[in-house]
């Protein structure tokens, strides 16, 4: 149970406060309601590039990192398709330093040309390092546009292509900031040995004076229902051929979410799971195989991904996956198997509610989904999933007309 | 009027308050270290063995033996074992480093009673089945093949070889062929020699109570395994500085690994070097980051690490840079090393880094599981948790002249090994 209190400032900024007396540290997590789904299709990679720029100095504070380090603090951030998340931890005695820093960069950024130039380069290197210069690095650059034709999830957070990042100009960046980085577009969680009144006073002092902006209305083109199987094959310089299959699933807030998550565990999370047992150990078709869901807020994807044993025909391997899914659809899962995956989840939930940073992140995330208290209902939500629900959802997801498949073929294998 | 220009006053902990774990010895002499804390439902259990890669007589032996412990016992198939572990909510991490091997379990308190005998069975009667071994070995071989295409991995391997000497316990580095040289008899022999009660230490953290300690004694207090003498190893490092480029066609980035052998924990210079290393490349605001990433944009990340093993220590600077700026990046790394030798670190920067380190240590010792993790890293070296409080004091007391002196003595770029993997 994460006990917490919440309040909202006049400018719309939402706060969550959780008291944890067992630690000398505190965490502050700030979630801004802007992700790569909010980008223009010709100017992608912005939300993420912007995250980098947030560290280039704010209007009154030339450098963000140094004063935080001086106060014994550490910070980081991440961007995904749905939102941008900043977090820091520092000794609780220095709580005001956190408020001073975060409020200033919500107030206004320094916006220097130099900062943009450097971070553009840094992000280009990130693109190369993680997506282009690694084996299997560009899988998602291929899979997403295959599965999504209209919804902005079709491009990755890093951007559609390097050129979009290279062409970003300061005006675009300033405009992006003005639209999205406002108090009424953010949620903040504070966890640690803090008092509610103390946090309220600091919130009012540092964030209170910041004017709200025009809350951008999000009107994203919905992804039309897929009606036909999609297929893409590419050849790359990798040692093993890999297969990626994606099916459309419901949105995060849909009641099917928890059952769908458990389906991915039943099918492909670890050596006791179905796909591993059948396709890796028994049939020897795959060297490794996994199943997971993307967890996006708008309707996301269910993914099965695996690397084939050398010499295996991808068509044969894909058939084998489909066959296992048919078995799964047609026979209700046994109680013990369902209980197994639930127990694993319950264990993981217990561990995730230990660190003050995790707690702060979760409060913001579930607050963002609509109700921060959802974090305390997760265990029950998973417990409530039954075999009938699992079977019904499997039947609705695992159909060819809903599937996109990528054969990521090894050029080395082909030349053998 | 709100003053947004000036930082609010901030304080730094004067010293670290850290307690030693409660230590008990089981009937067979096996030490159990407890970081007891009743605020949590979740347990962490570490079983640690002096069975790292430095002990192996054949490459891949230590890690494969360790990984095979999860692939079935003499009573349960691999699948049965995996299912039972999952059913009881267990998260198990099996891993090795150069000095040690461990099995770390995370689970809820209520599952521990079931899981302890299961863990014991995995340790004393592992299956080492032929099919299971073939499966694991081929999986590891495939991972190795994929990793062999990652510039960072290649750079690290080459660096490791040349840093310690390829024929030495720390410097031995696996190649693809080595996977074909292993068989289950090797694993059984290694297991017999190294996985027994006299070569084991246990760390338990979370809501540990007397009943739990009793159960631990029941399961691990007997004469389990084959307690012969563990054959030690003797690291005689053979190091040569120099520049070693490795071709990787079509590379968009180069991976750089640069460094040299250093003193280890026991040496009086070590704490000063920890501080120096942090300034150089041990945090986001470091000299290397500030220059090569934040000023030049050559890389997504660059850092330096000071590592202390049981029989050696080393410094390693690592980064992946744009292909076209590789040489420029190396030149800047050299510049930063020389700068630390030629100029003293200013008082503001020094204070900032000391404060940062204080916060960082506090953070890394926050809560029983973090403490267990830290304690695991100093096992078998005759130091306790007070060590962390002591090094903090020493770091705080290190002055800028001492730092410059250390830089002059240890950070000459020409005394270093540089490995670069990328397009020529």
């Amino acid at each position: 149970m994460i006990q917490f209190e919440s309040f909202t400032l006049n400018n719309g900024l939402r706060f969550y406060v959780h008291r944890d007396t067992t630690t000398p540290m505190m965490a502050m997590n700030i979630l801004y309601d802007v992700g790569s789904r909010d980008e223009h299709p010709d100017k992608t990679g912005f939300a993420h590039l912007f995250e980098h720029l947030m560290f280039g100095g704010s209007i009154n504070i030339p450098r963000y990192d140094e004063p935080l380090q001086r106060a014994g603090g550490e910070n980081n951030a991440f961007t995904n398709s749905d939102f941008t998340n900043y977090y820091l931890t520092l000794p609780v005695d220095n709580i005001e330093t956190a408020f001073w820093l975060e409020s200033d960069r919500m107030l206004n950024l320094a916006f220097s040309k130099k900062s943009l130039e450097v971070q553009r380069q840094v992000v280009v290197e990130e693109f190369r390092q993680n997506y282009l210069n690694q084996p299997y690095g560009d899988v998602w650059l291929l899979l997403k546009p295959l599965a999504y034709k209209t919804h902005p999830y079709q491009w990755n957070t890093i951007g559609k292509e390097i050129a979009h990042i290279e062409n970003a100009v300061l005006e675009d960046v300033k405009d992006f900031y003005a639209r999205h980085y406002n108090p009424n577009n953010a949620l903040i969680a504070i966890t640690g040995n803090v008092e509610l009144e103390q946090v309220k006073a600091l919130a009012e002092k540092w964030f209170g004076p910041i004017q709200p902006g025009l809350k951008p209305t999000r009107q994203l083109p919905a992804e039309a229902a897929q009606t036909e199987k999609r297929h893409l094959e590419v050849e790359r310089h990798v040692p093993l051929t890999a297969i990626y299959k994606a099916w459309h699933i419901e949105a995060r807030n849909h009641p099917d979410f928890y059952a769908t998550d458990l389906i991915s565990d039943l099918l492909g999370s670890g050596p006791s799971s179905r796909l591993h047992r059948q396709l890796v150990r028994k049939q020897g078709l795959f060297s490794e195989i996994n199943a997971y869901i993307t967890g996006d807020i708008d309707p996301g994807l269910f993914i099965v991904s695996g690397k084939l044993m050398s010499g295996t025909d991808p068509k044969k391997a894909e058939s084998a996956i489909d066959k296992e899914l048919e078995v799964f659809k047609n026979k209700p899962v046994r109680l013990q198997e369902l209980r197994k995956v639930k127990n694993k989840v319950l264990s993981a939930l217990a561990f995730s509610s230990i660190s003050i940073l995790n707690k702060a992140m979760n409060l913001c995330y579930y607050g963002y989904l609509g109700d921060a208290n959802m974090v305390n209902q997760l265990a029950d939500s998973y417990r409530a999933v039954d075999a009938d629900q699992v079977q019904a959802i499997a039947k609705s997801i695992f159909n060819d007309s809903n599937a996109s498949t990528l054969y990521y073929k090894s050029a080395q294998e082909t030349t053998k | 009027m709100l003053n947004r220009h000036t930082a609010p006053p901030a304080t730094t902990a004067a010293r670290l308050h850290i307690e030693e774990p409660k230590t008990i010895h089981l009937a067979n002499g096996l030490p159990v270290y407890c970081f007891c804390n009743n605020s949590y439902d979740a347990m962490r259990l570490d079983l640690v063995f002096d069975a790292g890669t430095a002990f192996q007589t054949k490459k891949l032996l230590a890690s494969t033996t360790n990984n095979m412990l999860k692939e079935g016992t003499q009573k349960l198939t691999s699948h049965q074992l995996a299912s039972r572990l999952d059913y009881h909510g267990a998260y198990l991490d099996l891993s090795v480093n150069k000095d040690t091997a461990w099995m770390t379990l995370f689970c809820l308190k209520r599952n521990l009673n079931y899981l302890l005998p299961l863990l014991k069975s995995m340790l004393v009667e592992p299956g080492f089945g032929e099919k299971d071994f073939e499966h694991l070995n081929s999986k590891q071989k495939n991972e190795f093949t994929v990793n062999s295409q990652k510039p960072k991995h290649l750079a690290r391997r080459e660096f490791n070889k040349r840093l310690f000497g390829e024929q030495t316990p720390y410097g031995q580095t696996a190649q693809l062929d080595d996977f074909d040289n292993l068989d289950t008899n090797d694993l059984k022999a290694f297991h017999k020699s190294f996985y027994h009660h006299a070569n084991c230490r246990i760390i338990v953290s979370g809501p540990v109570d007397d009943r739990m300690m009793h159960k631990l004694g029941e399961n691990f207090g007997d004469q389990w395994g084959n307690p012969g003498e563990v054959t030690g190893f003797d690291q005689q490092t053979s190091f040569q500085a120099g520049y070693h480029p490795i071709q990787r066609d079509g590379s968009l980035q180069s991976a750089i690994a640069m460094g040299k052998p250093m003193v280890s924990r026991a040496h009086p210079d070590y704490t000063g070097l920890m501080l120096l290393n942090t300034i150089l490349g041990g945090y986001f605001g470091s000299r290397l980051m500030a220059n090569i990433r934040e000023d030049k944009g050559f890389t997504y990340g660059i850092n330096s690490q000071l590592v202390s093993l049981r029989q050696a220590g080393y410094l390693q600077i690592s980064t992946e840079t744009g292909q076209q700026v590789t040489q420029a990046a190396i030149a800047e790394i050299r510049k930063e090393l020389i700068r630390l030798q030629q100029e003293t670190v200013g008082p503001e920067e020094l204070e900032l880094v000391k404060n940062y380190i204080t916060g960082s240590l506090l953070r890394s010792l926050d809560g029983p599981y973090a403490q267990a993790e830290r304690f695991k890293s100093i096992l078998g070296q005759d130091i306790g948790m007070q060590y962390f409080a002591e090094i903090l004091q020493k770091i705080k007391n290190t002055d800028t002249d001492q730092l410059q002196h250390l830089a002059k003595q240890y950070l000459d770029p020409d005394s270093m090994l540089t490995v670069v993997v990328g397009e020529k």
Side-chain angles (χ1 to χ4, degrees), chain A residues 74 114 237 272 281 343 347, chain B residues 86-87 89 132 149 295 356:
Chain A
E74 228 173 73
K114 159 110 191 198
H237 185 59
S272 82
R281 296 309 303 263
N343 285 348
S347 223
Chain B
D86 281 350
Y87 188 88
D132 296 314
Q149 281 189 226
D295 186 60
Y356 171 81

Side-chain angles (χ1 to χ4, degrees), chain B residues 342-363:
Chain B
Q342 291 179 344
E343 300 165 14
T344 52
V345 175
E348 272 187 21
E349 187 182 0
L350 193 57
E351 198 202 344
L352 184 150
V353 178
K354 288 180 181 179
N355 286 4
Y356 171 81
I357 291 175
T358 308
S360 184
L361 262 171
L362 252 176
R363 196 173 288 110

Side-chain angles (χ1 to χ4, degrees), chain A residues 164-329:
Chain A
H164 284 195
I165 299 159
E166 283 171 333
N167 294 336
V169 297
L170 207 55
E171 280 320 303
D172 292 332
V173 160
K174 284 184 178 172
D175 186 58
F176 190 87
Y177 180 82
R179 272 174 66 80
H180 300 290
Y181 277 76
N182 298 308
N184 48 323
N185 212 31
L187 301 92
I188 299 185
I190 310 276
T191 57
N193 195 2
V194 296
E195 305 268 1
L196 178 65
E197 292 313 311
Q198 171 201 20
V199 173
K200 269 187 174 163
L202 286 165
E204 210 46 77
K205 175 181 177 185
W206 292 102
F207 287 95
I210 304 175
Q211 292 304 304
L214 230 58
K215 178 136 175 89
T217 39
R218 185 176 274 126
Q219 275 171 332
L220 304 176
E223 183 68 21
Q226 186 176 332
T227 52
E228 264 187 353
K229 184 171 187 201
R230 295 174 192 161
H231 185 88
L232 175 66
E233 291 187 28
V234 300
E235 224 175 70
R236 292 287 188 267
H237 185 59
V238 290
L240 296 174
T241 294
I243 291 181
Y244 301 83
K245 277 197 89 144
W247 296 262
H248 293 276
I249 58 176
E250 301 285 4
R252 176 63 183 82
N253 269 337
H254 191 280
D256 282 357
F257 174 81
Y258 300 100
T260 311
D261 196 15
L262 290 182
I263 292 174
S264 73
D265 289 343
L266 287 161
L267 283 172
S269 91
S272 82
S273 65
R274 298 248 186 130
L275 292 175
H276 189 274
R277 188 165 191 214
Q278 289 302 323
L279 305 183
V280 175
R281 296 309 303 263
K282 286 198 168 157
Q283 297 174 40
L285 296 168
F286 283 84
S287 166
E288 58 177 84
I289 191 163
N290 294 290
Y292 51 92
I293 58 176
T294 54
D296 294 317
I297 289 178
D298 290 339
L301 299 172
F302 187 109
I303 309 286
V304 169
S305 75
K307 295 201 172 64
L308 306 187
M309 288 302 285
S310 182
T312 305
D313 173 17
K315 282 201 191 69
K316 185 173 177 205
E318 188 185 357
S319 259
I321 295 174
D322 290 338
K323 194 155 162 251
E324 272 322 296
L325 295 177
E326 283 306 302
V327 169
F328 191 87
K329 281 156 71 176

